[in-house]
Amino acid sequence: MPATAAARWAAAAGVVAVAAGVVVGELVAALVSPALSPMTAVGGAVIDAVPPAVKDWAVSAFGTADKLALLVGMGLAIAALAALAGLLEWRRRYAGFAVISIFGVVGLVAVLGRAQASGNAMVLPLLAAAAAILVLRWLMSRLRDWDAASVAVPAPSAAAPAPSAAAASPAQAGRRRFLQALGGGAVVAAVGGGLAAALRGAAAGVSEFRSKLALPAAASPAPPVPAGAALNLDGISPLVTPNRDFYRIDTALTVPAVDPDSWVLKVTGMVEREIELDFATLLSKPMIERHVTIACVSNEVGGDLIGNALWLGWPVRELLAMAGPRSGADMVLSRSKDGWTAGTPLEVLTDDRDALIAVGMNGEPLPLEHGFPVRLVVPGLYGYVSATKWLTELKVTRFADDVGYWTPRGWSERGPIKTSSRIDVPRSGRPVRAGTVAFGGVAWAQHTGIGKVELRVNRGPWQAVELAPGISRDTWYQWQLSVPLTPGQYEIQVRATDLNGAPQIEDRARVAPDGATGFHTIRVDVTP
Ligand SMILES: Nc1nc2c(c(=O)[nH]1)N[C@H]1C(S)=C(S)[C@@H](COP(=O)(O)O)O[C@H]1N2
Ligand SMILES: [Mo]
């Protein structure tokens, strides 16, 4: 095959491979990271980086299509670099892979620079680059096969037409195999790209709404964080978990895109008056803001499926009072946009614990992954029986008549959070220097509060730690203790006791059916 033809096909292979990689990244982003995809991250970084004059020029030249123009420009630039990657890979093995790896790293840097960066978002550029490299490797091997075959048997020229009925020559077979791969790759990338765009389209509109949404100020602001609640200890969990680090658990394969303009919350079932509440009406209600630590029933002892946030919302009890629950009702089955349900005791939604119909998380509208526009937050209960995200309905009912999503799947009907504690520092298995070793972590007993936390070394006597004041009984508390340790191996355990004097359960229990128990135990190597 002539060198120029081979180079052209190699460039085409580069474009198809990188397109396939980008599509993989965007498609997976639509599923696991709707707020941020590799392309939106790079686009956002470009917007931030261009000088204002260029931005003004773009807006005046393209008007409201400026974003589209940016995407088209990005697409062309990426296609050019992708063609170059294909060409380089053809000339020299791995040179093209190196160019694609640089793409991946640029994508990663762009993602890291965005406010919405999350663990999920960070792996996507690398995933996209890996996919592009695999596809390019595959296309290159077919191109090399074709090239080798056409060297062995020169392709028939126009002057000597190929024998039409005869079997294809190896060169023709190689050509066909390469073109099939190239065309197949292009079609798959195009179809996947269309799907990703459709999935993202809905989420993008909702994201846009969210970014422009100004939440009302709280009529009842959160009580001030007590002085000394946040200990100054390296490696301890922050007292308030930033949204981007907040654990996420749900059954939603794609994050539901709920448009606040058409959102309504229905109160149904055993009530005097059924109610439909729209988003604007909800925002006009006197909101309260509270710190609440929510936790997942699947959180293992020492696990990280727990986080503390400042939630803004309207108390569920106010809405339920308007509806008027009928006597005999003892449960509220809350339902989300995607059909998931939780069964919460009516009592905890009507007592003074400030269970919230929440719209805000740490001063922002709820992130899409955390239930935008509206979710429930109930102090003291595991998420699976209380914390419904993308909330659409509250059905007042009875435990005898209805069940939440997880109950028939082997989880308990009721899910009060069990008192527990965790050692954050030092990390288990991480060697530390002999001398005074600082231990620290968090402890929680939502809606009762923590009374004391103790630590023991090698099953010796329990030692009281310094317990920081909690923000409220509904949040976790930080603790710390310095222990002098000589070189050797140690087993360290922590236990908490709630404000009623009830100790954390020592017997180990698995997470199912109603939450793990046992003391968090770490092993520490103390080196000279
Ligand atoms: N719609 C919906 N809401 C849901 C869930 C779900 O699967 N779907 N999971 C619940 C569980 S099990 C937990 S622990 C919390 C987690 O909330 P987070 O993802 O905001 O941390 O959400 C709850 N709300
Ligand atoms: Mo959970």
Side-chain angles (χ1 to χ4, degrees):
M1 171 179 5
T4 51
R8 215 178 305 128
W9 289 122
V15 172
V16 168
V18 169
V22 167
V23 164
V24 165
E26 294 301 295
L27 211 49
V28 178
L31 301 180
V32 304
S33 172
L36 191 64
S37 77
M39 285 292 271
T40 52
V42 172
V46 171
I47 292 174
D48 290 354
V50 299
V54 176
K55 229 177 279 186
D56 292 347
W57 168 81
V59 172
S60 66
F62 302 108
T64 50
D66 60 335
K67 294 244 166 45
L68 185 64
L70 171 69
L71 283 174
V72 170
M74 266 170 62
L76 291 177
I78 290 173
L81 287 168
L84 181 70
L87 203 58
L88 289 175
E89 185 63 27
W90 176 249
R91 296 261 160 81
R92 208 197 150 108
R93 258 170 225 259
Y94 303 112
F97 295 173
V99 171
I100 293 176
S101 306
I102 294 172
F103 269 105
V105 171
V106 168
L108 179 63
V109 169
V111 166
L112 290 175
R114 313 312 297 166
Q116 316 95 304
S118 64
N120 280 353
M122 285 169 205
V123 297
L124 296 176
L126 305 178
L127 183 73
I133 286 174
L134 283 178
V135 173
L136 185 58
R137 213 174 79 148
W138 176 59
L139 292 174
M140 278 297 152
S141 83
R142 293 211 162 178
L143 185 59
R144 287 188 210 285
D145 288 349
W146 174 19
D147 190 49
S150 56
V151 168
V153 183
S157 68
S164 53
S169 70
Q172 284 169 323
R175 175 174 196 269
R176 197 178 56 237
R177 275 170 51 80
F178 171 74
L179 290 181
Q180 273 172 354
L182 190 70
V187 168
V188 169
V191 170
L195 186 61
L199 285 171
R200 290 201 60 80
V206 174
S207 268
E208 172 94 3
F209 189 113
R210 178 185 177 276
S211 65
K212 295 195 171 129
L213 179 64
L215 292 175
S220 160
V225 174
L231 296 174
N232 185 13
L233 177 63
D234 243 13
I236 200 168
S237 307
L239 188 60
V240 179
T241 316
N243 290 352
R244 64 193 274 179
D245 299 335
F246 211 93
Y247 82 96
R248 172 185 166 202
I249 293 287
D250 53 64
T251 59
L253 180 58
T254 59
V255 172
V258 181
D259 175 13
D261 277 333
S262 54
W263 176 88
V264 282
L265 175 58
K266 294 191 173 124
V267 186
T268 62
M270 299 171 68
V271 289
E272 297 301 333
R273 288 159 299 277
E274 297 210 335
I275 292 180
E276 283 200 8
L277 182 76
D278 64 28
F279 193 60
T281 311
L282 173 59
L283 291 190
S284 72
K285 300 293 183 187
M287 297 259 161
I288 70 175
E289 205 163 30
R290 297 289 181 264
H291 285 96
V292 178
T293 298
I294 67 170
C296 184
V297 68
S298 297
N299 193 33
E300 304 279 354
V301 171
D304 56 9
L305 300 181
I306 178 167
N308 183 40
L310 179 61
W311 307 96
L312 175 74
W314 189 43
V316 189
R317 61 170 180 272
E318 309 277 345
L319 180 61
L320 289 175
M322 283 171 60
R326 291 219 213 94
S327 68
D330 61 2
M331 187 247 252
V332 172
L333 188 76
S334 51
R335 180 178 297 275
S336 79
K337 168 84 173 180
D338 64 338
W340 187 87
T341 54
T344 310
L346 179 62
E347 182 187 287
V348 304
L349 298 179
T350 49
D351 70 14
D352 64 357
R353 78 179 62 200
D354 294 334
L356 293 179
I357 303 168
V359 296
M361 181 175 184
N362 290 330
E364 296 175 17
L366 294 173
L368 267 55
E369 295 86 341
H370 294 290
F372 183 82
V374 181
R375 75 174 302 169
L376 287 180
V377 172
V378 183
L381 301 190
Y382 287 122
Y384 83 106
V385 287
S386 69
T388 305
K389 305 190 274 189
W390 315 290
L391 179 68
T392 58
E393 185 188 352
L394 297 175
K395 179 185 179 192
V396 179
T397 178
R398 304 190 307 162
F399 277 104
D401 298 335
D402 274 299
V403 285
Y405 180 89
W406 283 111
T407 305
R409 293 171 171 83
W411 298 83
S412 169
E413 180 181 83
R414 317 262 172 157
I417 297 176
K418 294 175 180 175
T419 298
S420 197
S421 50
R422 187 174 77 192
I423 304 169
D424 291 339
V425 272
R427 279 294 176 86
S428 190
R430 223 27 103 69
V432 295
R433 276 294 162 95
T436 310
V437 180
F439 290 87
V442 284
W444 57 93
Q446 284 89 329
H447 212 58
T448 306
I450 290 291
K452 70 176 173 192
V453 174
E454 298 156 294
L455 200 73
R456 72 177 174 189
V457 179
N458 290 343
R459 313 243 163 183
W462 287 105
Q463 309 175 42
V465 307
E466 178 196 334
L467 180 63
I471 301 177
S472 80
R473 352 178 248 164
D474 295 329
T475 66
W476 61 17
Y477 296 48
Q478 294 187 341
W479 61 266
Q480 67 179 348
L481 182 68
S482 292
V483 184
L485 292 177
T486 53
Q489 288 219 338
Y490 297 89
E491 182 205 77
I492 313 288
Q493 291 184 301
V494 67
R495 78 169 178 195
T497 302
D498 74 15
L499 272 171
N500 293 338
Q504 181 181 336
I505 297 168
E506 174 167 13
D507 289 343
R508 293 196 145 261
R510 317 193 44 181
V511 293
D514 62 359
T517 58
F519 297 154
H520 188 206
T521 304
I522 67 167
R523 258 150 267 282
V524 178
D525 264 333
V526 177
T527 59

